[in-house]
Amino acid sequence: MLEMTRETFEELVSRALDRIPPELTRVMDNVAVFVEDEPPADDPDLLGLYEGTPLTDRGEWYAGVLPDRISIYMGPTLRRFETTDEVVHEVAVTVIHEIAHHFGIDDDRLHELGWG
């Protein structure tokens, strides 16, 4: 398993978020990104998870709700990849993948686009 501090991993997530074009970050709404040590026990290899209501599904009823949540999981990412460069790349892919879910893009389309 690759050794990395939580602070360093959080910085990788922050840098990945900085790569999102400003025209997209301006329309992101009511979403928060967190680094978590481990995913839910029923999916121990999960690298990231989007929980919420995608922008494409929100309607007039959408008000006063808690923010959507994007979780990036440090443990499985560091266990799966052997080099820092691989982790840097995968964190960026995972962050972009989960933000795409916020925009209503499903896994099938993400795989077609090479972000699966």
Side-chain angles (χ1 to χ4, degrees), residues 2 8 18 21 33 40 51 58 62 66 69 74 85 105-106:
L2 183 66
T8 299
D18 288 343
V33 179
E51 299 171 285
R58 295 179 186 180
Y62 187 86
L66 292 173
R69 180 181 182 95
M74 184 174 160
D85 287 344
I105 302 171
D106 66 19

Side-chain angles (χ1 to χ4, degrees), residues 16-31 55 95-96 99-100 102-103 105 115:
L17 288 167
D18 288 343
R19 292 179 59 186
I20 306 299
E23 57 272 16
L24 292 179
T25 58
R26 279 193 291 274
V27 295
M28 290 176 64
D29 183 48
N30 201 32
V31 62
L55 294 174
V95 167
I96 290 167
I99 288 173
H102 176 68
F103 284 101
I105 302 171
W115 294 100

Side-chain angles (χ1 to χ4, degrees), residues 4 9 14 19 21-22 27 36 38 44-46 53-54 59 63 77 79 81 94 98 102-103 105-106 113:
M4 182 177 289
F9 192 85
S14 179
R19 292 179 59 186
V27 295
E36 302 288 346
E38 295 295 333
D45 297 325
L46 191 64
T53 304
T77 303
R79 286 191 294 274
F81 300 96
T94 302
E98 301 310 330
H102 176 68
F103 284 101
I105 302 171
D106 66 19
L113 295 170

Side-chain angles (χ1 to χ4, degrees), residues 65-95:
V65 299
L66 292 173
D68 292 2
R69 180 181 182 95
I70 292 174
S71 299
I72 307 299
Y73 300 111
M74 184 174 160
T77 303
L78 296 181
R79 286 191 294 274
R80 185 176 300 175
F81 300 96
E82 297 179 8
T83 69
T84 300
D85 287 344
E86 289 174 325
V87 169
V88 168
H89 174 76
E90 188 55 41
V91 165
V93 168
T94 302
V95 167

